[in-house]
Amino acid sequence: MRLIFIAPPGAGKGTQSALITENYHLPQLSTGNILRAEIKAGTPLGNSVAQYINVGEFVPDEIMIQFLEDQITKEKYANGFILDGFPRTLYQAISLDRLFLKYNFKLDAVLILYVQKSELIARLAARRTCLNCGASYHLEYKPPKVFNICDVCGSTLTQRKDDSEESIKTRIRNYNNLTMPIIEHYDSMNLIHRIDGVGTLDQVYGRIDKVLKYIDRNGLSQ
Ligand code: AMP
């Protein structure tokens, strides 16, 4: 399966796509996680994107499109992937269509998670992230077993620079203005599945699982 997962910042996209990866053995290709690791490692790519990511702005399309082509052609994604964080603009979506054509990939579905703005802001402010493995926690709803330590890899948790109040506003605004228009693009291809993102982790995952089972059974979109 090749899936795209679209959601506003703070809706639980990273957490839910990690659950899909676990249950469906579908590798998660999270552009945000990979870029944060590049920043942490101080690579040339990391250094060039940090200025945008740290303040919640989008990385320019040209950089992202080349980056994505380099990623999806990796061996580990040869049998499918769940794309978390790309595309984020209409231009990226159209470029992705071209990449799928070029490599003869079929897009199975686009999942969209809906959560209202007030809830997003509350969730992001209480989020803690592991910069080592990308795992994400919530102080109240999904706390780590040991205070401030990642359950998965044992690293210290931090608050993402772009989870500051100012960056959160920028990210939500960019999502509404630049990312929402791509929904129409995939609607016209009949690939969209809309999912209510409000509820417990398990409730939301249950809704996603139902959609994925449907796609698996039918080999096509609803
Ligand atoms: P995320 O972890 O998905 O919230 O992504 C974190 C940040 O990485 C975003 O706020 C952007 O600054 C940057 N980023 C990730 N994916 C993209 C993309 N497809 N286009 C532009 N910027 C991106």
Side-chain angles (χ1 to χ4, degrees):
M1 264 200 272
R2 290 192 177 83
L3 304 175
I4 292 176
F5 202 177
I6 299 175
K13 169 172 60 75
T15 306
Q16 294 293 344
S17 45
L19 284 175
I20 297 171
T21 294
E22 209 177 298
N23 293 314
Y24 285 83
H25 307 290
L26 200 60
Q28 175 186 16
L29 202 173
S30 161
T31 50
N33 282 356
I34 302 170
L35 292 175
R36 276 186 292 279
E38 296 276 338
I39 293 174
K40 193 169 172 241
T43 64
L45 174 65
N47 293 338
S48 70
V49 300
Q51 57 182 309
Y52 306 104
I53 295 189
N54 290 343
V55 294
E57 290 291 0
F58 285 175
V59 173
D61 283 343
E62 316 79 69
I63 300 179
M64 285 310 302
I65 290 158
Q66 185 56 56
F67 167 74
L68 196 87
E69 181 164 10
D70 296 343
Q71 291 294 324
I72 57 167
T73 47
K74 286 189 171 167
E75 185 57 37
K76 65 173 166 178
Y77 300 122
N79 293 319
F81 49 76
I82 173 155
L83 205 43
D84 156 5
F86 192 102
R88 269 180 148 102
T89 64
L90 191 55
Y91 186 70
Q92 289 183 12
I94 292 165
S95 305
L96 188 64
D97 292 346
R98 292 204 192 106
L99 284 180
F100 270 62
L101 264 182
K102 181 172 169 187
Y103 294 104
N104 213 7
F105 291 161
K106 179 178 160 282
L107 179 59
D108 292 288
V110 179
L111 312 182
I112 306 201
L113 212 50
Y114 284 88
V115 177
Q116 71 273 24
K117 190 174 167 185
S118 54
E119 173 85 12
L120 295 174
I121 293 171
R123 287 192 196 180
L124 286 167
R127 178 159 79 173
R128 294 296 177 271
T129 306
C130 175
L131 286 185
N132 186 48
C133 73
S136 150
Y137 301 85
H138 185 281
L139 291 178
E140 197 179 332
Y141 303 123
K142 194 195 166 201
K145 292 193 182 91
V146 178
F147 176 72
N148 229 22
I149 299 293
C150 178
D151 292 349
V152 182
C153 72
S155 302
T156 304
L157 302 178
T158 49
Q159 185 167 31
R160 276 171 46 175
K161 278 210 175 82
D162 60 348
D163 281 344
S164 70
E165 209 182 313
E166 209 42 49
S167 298
I168 289 172
K169 280 191 205 142
T170 308
R171 289 160 65 207
I172 294 176
R173 193 181 56 237
N174 282 342
Y175 180 81
N176 289 335
N177 295 341
L178 301 171
T179 306
M180 288 296 275
I182 66 181
I183 294 173
E184 214 173 296
H185 175 75
Y186 290 118
D187 237 348
S188 69
M189 295 159 84
N190 214 17
L191 287 172
I192 297 259
H193 295 263
R194 292 178 167 81
I195 296 158
D196 176 5
V198 179
T200 64
L201 272 184
D202 290 344
Q203 282 168 337
V204 176
Y205 183 72
R207 292 172 200 143
I208 293 173
D209 192 48
K210 215 166 130 194
V211 169
L212 293 182
K213 290 220 167 76
Y214 178 90
I215 297 166
D216 221 10
R217 264 199 320 273
N218 294 277
L220 76 171
S221 223
Q222 231 163 352

